[in-house]
Amino acid sequence: MREIKFRAWVKNEKKMVYGKDATSSAHFTDSFKYRRNEIELMQYTGLHDKTDDKVEIYEGDIVEFLYKGKMYIGEVKFKAGAFILACNQLPDGYITMLDIANFDFDGDYYWIEGVVRGNVYETPLHCWV
């Protein structure tokens, strides 16, 4: 079964929260700790980067990745039912993460040839390109 996880950027506190802190019902009401308009919710892609730490990749991450022998930097987005890496330097302006994903044959670990460099809230893409 695939792992479904979220993280949330808390706008007014300028901090990222993970796990239950990101998805508890308190974050989706108007009377608890955070209101819906105070957070940006981001889903885990199911992929890791190719570092020793095996960093999980979420929507909103800035990722330096290898494609056809060249390094690119893009932002992870969810569009038209798929996670993509949006990158103006690519011919179509994006690539689906499935096109560059690798996996072990046991099916327990999926990764891309790349490195998470930050996210759009703490280290915006324009800082890298």
Side-chain angles (χ1 to χ4, degrees):
M1 176 178 243
R2 70 184 174 123
E3 192 171 15
I4 299 174
K5 297 194 286 188
F6 292 89
R7 70 179 183 191
W9 176 250
V10 182
K11 295 175 187 177
N12 60 341
E13 295 177 20
K14 297 191 184 321
K15 72 176 184 178
M16 196 71 71
V17 293
Y18 291 82
K20 289 182 182 178
D21 288 336
T23 58
S24 72
S25 60
H27 294 107
F28 299 102
T29 67
D30 288 333
S31 60
F32 289 94
K33 187 173 183 180
Y34 304 117
R35 293 190 173 122
R36 285 181 217 138
N37 65 344
E38 293 175 337
I39 64 166
E40 291 293 332
L41 197 60
M42 294 161 276
Q43 187 173 359
Y44 170 53
T45 64
L47 297 169
H48 296 81
D49 71 6
K50 185 71 178 196
T51 62
D52 291 339
D53 294 332
K54 300 177 182 177
V55 176
E56 294 175 337
I57 302 173
Y58 285 82
E59 287 178 87
D61 277 342
I62 305 301
V63 179
E64 184 176 11
F65 62 99
L66 182 66
Y67 177 62
K68 293 188 176 183
K70 187 175 175 188
M71 294 301 289
Y72 296 92
I73 296 178
E75 177 186 341
V76 178
K77 296 182 177 190
F78 188 80
K79 298 287 184 185
F83 288 105
I84 66 166
L85 280 161
C87 175
N88 291 335
Q89 288 72 37
L90 291 168
D92 293 332
Y94 72 94
I95 187 167
T96 66
M97 295 191 73
L98 179 61
D99 289 337
I100 60 172
N102 298 292
F103 60 93
D104 65 14
F105 288 102
D106 295 330
D108 294 335
Y109 180 64
Y110 301 85
W111 75 94
I112 64 166
E113 297 291 331
V115 178
V116 174
R117 296 292 184 195
N119 62 68
V120 296
Y121 300 101
E122 297 166 309
T123 50
L125 184 58
H126 69 269
C127 294
W128 295 99
V129 292

